[in-house]
Amino acid sequence: GKATYLLEFATTAAMRLMARNISFLGVDESETQLQDAAVNLEATACTDRITLKKGDARNLHWLDDGSVTAILTCPPFGRQFGRGADLRALYREYIQEWARVLNPNDGRLALLVDVDHENDALLAFHSVSEHLRIVIHREPFRLGQLQATVIVAERVKNRTTTGERPPFCNISAPLSRFPWEGDKTKESRAEWGALRAASLHRLVPYTAKRILG
């Protein structure tokens, strides 16, 4: 996409302290998306910390096994992007490749998906349960005009020796809210939105039309 999630992560106050030895990589197949992402990197002075690369997230062949600490992603919902695609198969291919590149000791994957394709994402995680285990599954929440959820999975550190797959989910029920949301979800989300707006410069939204000149 346009690197908005990457920029939000890389420009928060906490990450400014932690990110001195961290490098960020954004991957997209669309040249237009990458061009808009480059504009956003310039606007937030992050060109030295974030690298953009054109490629298919299902085939990250230039990345070694276990070489990535964290993946933050919002795969296609079949609306603006991925329309007409077999999203169940697409999610499975994505997650199989991401499981390969995640660090086996502390690798984590955070995925934002709409509720219409939540089950497709869960089935994709189940297909790689020997490598990834879900540790957070947020109850659905409103995201613009959509209902969405967040799924967080971590690499399985020790594979079983009995031939049995470990459980693909390490939670008993979906999380009603994240710890930072507090007791009043609407108020906490509004506060988070205000902090986000204050910390980031104006970015190119995914709905923006490019102006050529």
Side-chain angles (χ1 to χ4, degrees):
K2 294 175 173 58
T4 52
Y5 291 144
L6 268 179
L7 286 166
E8 185 177 345
F9 186 54
T11 56
T12 60
M15 283 307 303
R16 288 194 188 102
L17 297 176
M18 296 170 56
R20 294 171 184 171
N21 298 317
I22 299 175
S23 60
F24 300 88
L25 173 66
V27 179
D28 202 289
E29 287 186 291
S30 167
E31 190 65 42
T32 300
Q33 292 285 90
L34 291 171
Q35 288 172 4
D36 285 342
V39 172
N40 286 336
L41 263 60
E42 290 284 349
T44 51
C46 283
T47 55
D48 61 331
R49 281 185 283 170
I50 299 177
T51 300
L52 301 176
K53 185 175 182 65
K54 186 174 182 179
D56 187 341
R58 295 170 295 179
N59 181 20
L60 305 173
H61 57 85
W62 64 90
L63 293 176
D64 294 333
D65 293 359
S67 62
V68 176
T69 301
I71 295 175
L72 179 66
T73 181
C74 178
F77 295 169
R79 292 176 171 84
Q80 274 98 5
F81 308 102
R83 186 173 298 174
D86 181 350
L87 295 185
R88 178 170 295 186
L90 187 67
Y91 289 2
R92 185 172 60 251
E93 291 171 2
Y94 280 146
I95 290 175
Q96 286 174 350
E97 179 67 347
W98 298 338
R100 179 188 70 79
V101 300
L102 277 173
N103 188 301
N105 295 314
D106 58 2
R108 280 205 165 193
L109 162 63
L111 182 146
L112 172 70
V113 66
D114 71 328
V115 293
D116 289 344
H117 299 98
E118 177 182 9
N119 193 52
D120 294 333
L122 292 173
L123 287 172
F125 279 111
H126 190 270
S127 73
V128 293
S129 61
E130 69 269 32
H131 301 297
L132 286 174
R133 177 177 54 232
I134 294 174
V135 292
I136 297 174
H137 183 192
R138 172 66 161 79
E139 286 184 355
F141 57 91
R142 182 159 295 282
L143 182 67
Q145 300 300 314
L146 301 174
Q147 286 286 112
T149 186
V150 172
I151 302 170
V152 180
E154 66 180 11
R155 278 288 263 120
V156 176
K157 295 180 176 62
N158 297 313
R159 299 183 63 178
T160 61
T161 58
T162 61
E164 297 180 358
R165 283 189 172 189
F168 89 104
C169 187
N170 199 34
I171 57 174
S172 57
L175 188 70
S176 60
R177 56 178 57 87
F178 292 112
W180 55 264
E181 290 182 280
D183 295 328
K184 297 180 179 179
T185 302
K186 282 189 175 180
E187 291 182 9
S188 58
R189 285 179 62 80
E191 180 182 359
W192 171 80
L195 292 171
R196 178 182 184 273
S199 67
L200 295 178
H201 293 266
R202 185 175 181 84
L203 303 181
V204 178
Y206 68 87
T207 55
K209 294 181 180 179
R210 288 192 56 77
I211 300 175
L212 304 178

